[in-house]
Amino acid sequence: MEKNVAISWLINFNEKIQANSAYLNTLDTPIGDGDHGANMARGMTAVIETLASKEMLDASEVFKVSGMQLLTKVGGASGPLYWSAFTGIAKGLSAGQSIDNALDSGLNDIKKRGNSDIGEKTLIDVWAPVIKSLSTGERLTDQTIDTFVDATKDLKASKGRASYLGDRSIGHIDPGAYSSGLFFKAMLESGGAEID
């Protein structure tokens, strides 16, 4: 992946996070602390400022540096999870992996960080099917991504703060899944999915 594609991807992601930060807070209110949008907006602002002020060597460094900003600026569980994801992507890109394999590296780091897997109402429930679509050559669209995000509504949370609610977590979209959906929509817009 070219450096400029990675930067464009994160610029698009930032724009989507800023535009949807209030809605992300709304999603987070019934099953979390109600601040996922505000936290992600703060983190992505720091990412964009860093990308604008520092010359990156390659796409791997773009994700590595951006992940560190999210770790230090985003509160709660989301900062460490996105840091793990971006660090995994950076490792994959540095090793010359295709984007689906690099994303899979990021997914594996998310699983390790959160000690979680698919079906537990987390961002993994969007990352896993998106990566599967990419690796199998299925057509990935905004609508497909929305389907993956919406599917978290019917899941019972067994990880994170939402897990304390038990059955009451059912019926709510996971906010981390929604922000991940924005991340992958930004990928499609930047052309990140088409470039190895």
Side-chain angles (χ1 to χ4, degrees), residues 156-174:
K156 177 181 175 179
S158 56
K159 292 291 179 182
R161 186 177 179 87
S163 65
Y164 301 135
L165 298 175
D167 289 340
R168 287 181 294 145
S169 66
I170 299 172
H172 301 283
I173 292 173
D174 180 71

Side-chain angles (χ1 to χ4, degrees), residues 90-136:
K91 286 188 295 186
L93 292 175
S94 180
Q97 292 180 351
S98 61
I99 187 57
D100 57 321
N101 287 327
L103 286 169
D104 196 47
S105 176
L107 172 59
N108 287 331
D109 281 6
I110 294 172
K111 289 179 177 180
K112 291 175 186 175
R113 171 67 53 179
N115 190 28
S116 54
D117 210 332
I118 194 166
E120 296 183 311
K121 201 183 185 84
T122 70
L123 68 170
I124 290 172
D125 293 301
V126 172
W127 279 71
V130 164
I131 293 167
K132 182 180 179 181
S133 294
L134 291 173
S135 63
T136 58

Side-chain angles (χ1 to χ4, degrees), residues 82-97:
Y82 270 102
W83 168 71
S84 296
F86 280 26
T87 300
I89 293 170
K91 286 188 295 186
L93 292 175
S94 180
Q97 292 180 351

